[in-house]
Amino acid sequence: MKKLIIALLAVFLIVMAAAPASFAAERGKVLVVHGGADAVGEGDKAIGDKIASMPGFTQVDYIHAPKTDENSWKGYSLVFIGESVSSADVNTKFTKAECYIICSEPGLWDELLFGAYDSAYDSDSFNGTYKAKNDILKTGITSFKGFTKDETPGFLKEWSDGVTVIFENEKGAPAVTLVEKGGKLIDGSASTGPRSTFFNRGQSAANFTDESWKIFTALIDYVLPLPVETTTAAAKAAAAKPAAAAQTFDAGIALWIMAAGAALSGGVLALKRRQS
């Protein structure tokens, strides 16, 4: 009887060891490209901090725009380019990037092949409301104020057929957009990765409203959704192999084994008491 109990416990341990092990889902690393001095401005830092607070992103790095090159995007799932950069320092370095690019520098929207930006708003006079054009993000926001104080936002004036306008200003100028990977760009080529324009300029993200942050994070979640928990490679390989019915154990069987083991153990103890 003792040998039977030990054998059942051994089977239980084997079943538990073979159960699929899960690990935390990841969305990869993020790069924030900033301008100005080597120090990161408060708006660019606010963007980095917000992304770092989102689940699944493993690391947020910052790089001064003049130090970037055509390979700077590699190893990152998301690159944010702030308007603090000088467009000449970035130019076409990220045009062929395969990761997700969010660009708030209107002077780079032509290099990224979105189209031309609307220079009519190059002042701090615009503090109007923004309205939803497309509800793909499912935020439930139909109109909102972008900032808690007057700022200088950026808008597209001309854009490619592949651009989906998500939010626009009161005059219909695109404020938040998305080009899917493979989407048509202004020169007729296909985008090598997903792309977005966002209306914040300079360090204005430091004065985002709650609605602006909600839209910003919803945009990232839409393009880079948090993966569901996945199993280890060993568990996947085991699951891919057809097993004989007699060799297949599920959680229910494992629980049955535990219960049987406990019952047998209890029976043995009871028998010993009666014999003593």
Side-chain angles (χ1 to χ4, degrees), residues 143-237:
S143 66
F144 69 101
K145 285 276 189 179
F147 307 100
T148 58
K149 57 184 287 188
D150 285 357
E151 293 289 356
T152 309
F155 307 101
L156 277 168
K157 184 177 182 180
E158 301 170 0
W159 54 96
S160 68
D161 293 342
V163 170
T164 297
V165 179
I166 303 173
F167 286 92
E168 60 188 12
N169 69 13
E170 293 168 325
K171 297 183 178 179
V176 179
T177 71
L178 172 66
V179 175
E180 301 277 6
K181 180 179 179 178
K184 186 177 180 181
L185 298 172
I186 198 70
D187 66 345
S189 65
S191 182
T192 53
R195 306 279 185 265
S196 284
T197 65
F198 215 82
F199 58 87
N200 58 299
R201 298 177 67 183
Q203 302 301 328
S204 62
N207 297 310
F208 264 167
T209 61
D210 290 343
E211 291 84 359
S212 293
W213 281 124
K214 183 176 181 180
I215 291 164
F216 183 78
T217 55
L219 185 62
I220 294 173
D221 286 338
Y222 180 84
V223 178
L224 300 173
L226 185 65
V228 296
E229 287 192 352
T230 52
T231 58
T232 61
K236 286 182 178 179

Side-chain angles (χ1 to χ4, degrees), residues 27-39:
R27 290 197 269 190
K29 298 195 301 180
V30 178
L31 181 65
V32 176
V33 183
H34 67 93
D38 283 337

Side-chain angles (χ1 to χ4, degrees), residues 128-141:
T129 58
Y130 303 82
K131 58 183 181 179
K133 176 72 172 179
N134 192 309
D135 193 32
I136 61 172
L137 304 184
K138 307 299 181 185
T139 60
I141 298 173

Side-chain angles (χ1 to χ4, degrees), residues 50-204:
K50 175 59 71 172
I51 299 173
S53 72
M54 298 174 67
F57 290 109
T58 57
Q59 182 176 319
V60 176
D61 296 329
Y62 297 84
I63 186 170
H64 196 206
K67 298 178 181 178
T68 58
D69 59 32
E70 287 76 7
N71 296 311
S72 294
W73 62 270
K74 293 183 177 179
Y76 294 95
S77 58
L78 169 62
V79 173
F80 173 81
I81 305 174
E83 195 269 340
S84 60
V85 308
S86 169
S87 58
D89 287 335
V90 178
N91 206 344
T92 59
K93 294 175 182 178
F94 294 90
T95 303
K96 297 296 183 182
E98 296 174 13
C99 66
Y100 183 30
I101 306 288
I102 301 177
C103 183
S104 291
E105 166 53 78
L108 290 174
W109 291 347
D110 53 346
E111 279 83 359
L112 289 172
L113 304 176
F114 280 98
Y117 82 95
D118 197 334
S119 59
Y121 296 95
D122 283 349
S123 70
D124 59 359
S125 60
F126 182 84
N127 194 27
T129 58
Y130 303 82
K131 58 183 181 179
K133 176 72 172 179
N134 192 309
D135 193 32
I136 61 172
L137 304 184
K138 307 299 181 185
T139 60
I141 298 173
T142 56
S143 66
F144 69 101
K145 285 276 189 179
F147 307 100
T148 58
K149 57 184 287 188
D150 285 357
E151 293 289 356
T152 309
F155 307 101
L156 277 168
K157 184 177 182 180
E158 301 170 0
W159 54 96
S160 68
D161 293 342
V163 170
T164 297
V165 179
I166 303 173
F167 286 92
E168 60 188 12
N169 69 13
E170 293 168 325
K171 297 183 178 179
V176 179
T177 71
L178 172 66
V179 175
E180 301 277 6
K181 180 179 179 178
K184 186 177 180 181
L185 298 172
I186 198 70
D187 66 345
S189 65
S191 182
T192 53
R195 306 279 185 265
S196 284
T197 65
F198 215 82
F199 58 87
N200 58 299
R201 298 177 67 183
Q203 302 301 328
S204 62

